Amino acid sequence: MPPSVAILGGGIAGLSTAWHLQKLLPAKIPITLFEQSSHFGGWMESELVTRDGRRVLFEGGPRTLRIVGEPGKAMLELVHSLGLASSLKSVPKTSPAARNRYIYRGGQIHLLNPTPFNLLFSRSPVYAGILRGGVREAFVRRNSADDESVWNFFARRFDPRMADTLASAICHGVFAGNSKEMSMRSSFGSMWAAEQRSGSLVRDTMKGVITRSEDQAQLSNRWSSHETASFQKRLQQEASVVCFDQGMGRFPAAIVQDLRKASNVSLLGNQEVTKLELQEGPFSTIIHTKGNQPSSFSHVVSALPSTQLSRLLPTLANLSHIPYTTVAVVNLAFPSNVLPIRGFGYLVPGPELDATGGVLGCIFDSESHGDLEITRCTIMAGGWAFSKYFGDPTTADHDAILETALRAMRDQLGVTVQPLSSRILIQRDCIPQLLVGHHKKVSDVQDKLQEFQGHVQAIGAWITGVSVNDGVLAGRTAAEQVARSMNIEL
């Protein structure tokens, strides 16, 4: 059949795939994106509300973007190509939002600043085990198992106290997940690989200092012009993270706006895919959607959650066992600068969850945006323990969740004033949990997709990374693979 591409899912990975495809493929090849809701952009959602004549920006998902590594580079390339460079707000590396990270432990918020003096003399529980762990890490034997939990990795290589505090807090901040169940190999693959490669993270880091520049030189420059490269270099030198002055929703909205200009791209909202039929000789996929006639495509890229993909392709039924967490997101705005500390925010490790009523952490949004006249914070709660603290997500009490957030502001930060505005979102099944053994599920999927000779691909948070940047890079990579499958020179 004539070449054509279907993309399933209109989150950032699906949008990135469509955008890069329309740059690589001839204009005569149709590209169709199916999204089951009316919203494109996945969890990237911004809302501007007005209270008492003041405009307040609330974020429902990610609020800043890191700019390091190849994923960060891919994101900046796309931002620049979309003409969004002037909309970026960078957080300087010298700012409190970049320098100050906190952890709630033992009933107090502690600054995480592991200087030699603090490691030697501070009694703060956040430093417990770091010095001992750092000294012994180079002498710990390599693990012979093919995977282990994040908690076990840190406890084995460093110190159980580090695992209880730092590893647990990081898992809450990245995955809203339980460090005693999350896979080290799949969740923090670079650290896992470092141990396997060099037997020690310390020794591997020393090698990496020598080879990093060589590795960076090998990265593809296909998507970078000289102007784009200069833009990236400047930001990576000056900034820690970036955000958009009109909110993170500006990013997917700009991709959608650009795609709608392309004559060969169709963005179909409110189009739930209900069935995939794989045909051979020549290969094609028949896509069924609710209330519409089936349509055939030569190539398919799925950017769907694993649970949805498993229902469409029974051969991938194993994906249905990948769990997802639900996170309560509570946006709060206060009429003045009410925070007693400055920084990015704080995280809560697992041993403190009962004391906080299920709060995973608090992000100081106004710090990243440089808006200190109105204090904006986001409380994240629930995650892997959502049902324990808030019950069924479909019937969870929003007032009780708001009270939990306000209690956290009061008890942990000393903020007693009432918010100018608030918003509660229950983000159901928003983050895949990469549990121990997850790599086996991914490997099984990749082996089965190989049978389709590049005509069917799967990307998304469960397989290519949970960050926005991971989604952008995965979409770019998928687009390049489609083009190669069509024998289009890159």
Side-chain angles (χ1 to χ4, degrees), residues 409-489:
M409 296 296 296
R410 181 180 65 246
D411 296 348
Q412 296 161 28
L413 289 166
V415 177
T416 57
V417 300
Q418 288 299 304
L420 175 72
S421 183
S422 63
R423 185 182 70 160
I424 300 97
L425 297 175
I426 297 181
Q427 306 287 39
R428 294 185 60 188
D429 300 332
C430 60
I431 307 176
Q433 298 300 280
L434 316 183
L435 305 185
V436 174
H438 181 81
H439 70 284
K440 296 178 181 178
K441 295 185 179 70
V442 171
S443 178
D444 181 57
V445 169
Q446 291 171 334
D447 287 344
K448 290 175 178 176
L449 293 181
Q450 285 292 329
E451 301 172 7
F452 306 132
Q453 300 177 356
H455 288 268
V456 179
Q457 296 183 59
I459 61 175
W462 63 273
I463 189 171
T464 49
V466 300
S467 75
V468 171
N469 295 349
D470 290 332
V472 172
L473 180 58
R476 188 183 79 180
T477 302
E480 292 172 344
Q481 291 177 355
V482 168
R484 291 191 189 97
S485 178
M486 293 181 179
N487 296 317
I488 293 173
E489 186 175 350

Side-chain angles (χ1 to χ4, degrees), residues 69-178:
E70 183 68 358
K73 179 182 176 184
M75 178 272 296
L76 290 176
E77 286 167 350
L78 182 51
V79 166
H80 192 269
S81 297
L82 291 168
L84 289 178
S86 61
S87 299
L88 275 186
K89 298 183 71 171
S90 60
V91 178
K93 293 180 179 179
T94 56
S95 71
R99 296 168 63 91
N100 298 341
R101 302 292 203 274
Y102 299 88
I103 291 180
Y104 182 79
R105 196 74 165 100
Q108 294 182 339
I109 292 177
H110 301 267
L111 175 65
L112 184 60
N113 183 27
T115 63
F117 181 87
N118 285 338
L119 293 178
L120 286 169
F121 301 110
S122 175
R123 295 185 178 182
S124 169
V126 301
Y127 302 121
I130 294 180
L131 185 60
R132 175 181 178 273
V135 171
R136 71 183 292 269
E137 195 278 334
F139 304 99
V140 176
R141 289 185 177 182
R142 179 190 291 110
N143 187 8
S144 60
D146 65 354
D147 200 1
E148 67 181 318
S149 73
V150 174
W151 191 94
N152 282 343
F153 182 92
F154 275 84
R156 177 177 59 82
R157 293 216 63 86
F158 296 97
D159 188 286
R161 293 169 294 176
M162 279 185 66
D164 275 341
T165 300
L166 295 179
S168 178
I170 292 170
C171 280
H172 283 173
V174 178
F175 301 99
N178 184 350

Side-chain angles (χ1 to χ4, degrees), residues 376-429:
R376 289 183 295 115
C377 298
T378 298
I379 295 283
M380 302 168 296
W384 65 274
F386 189 96
S387 60
K388 175 181 179 180
Y389 297 102
F390 306 112
D392 188 334
T394 60
T395 58
D397 186 338
H398 283 219
D399 290 337
I401 292 173
L402 176 59
E403 177 54 36
T404 297
L406 293 177
R407 185 169 60 250
M409 296 296 296
R410 181 180 65 246
D411 296 348
Q412 296 161 28
L413 289 166
V415 177
T416 57
V417 300
Q418 288 299 304
L420 175 72
S421 183
S422 63
R423 185 182 70 160
I424 300 97
L425 297 175
I426 297 181
Q427 306 287 39
R428 294 185 60 188
D429 300 332

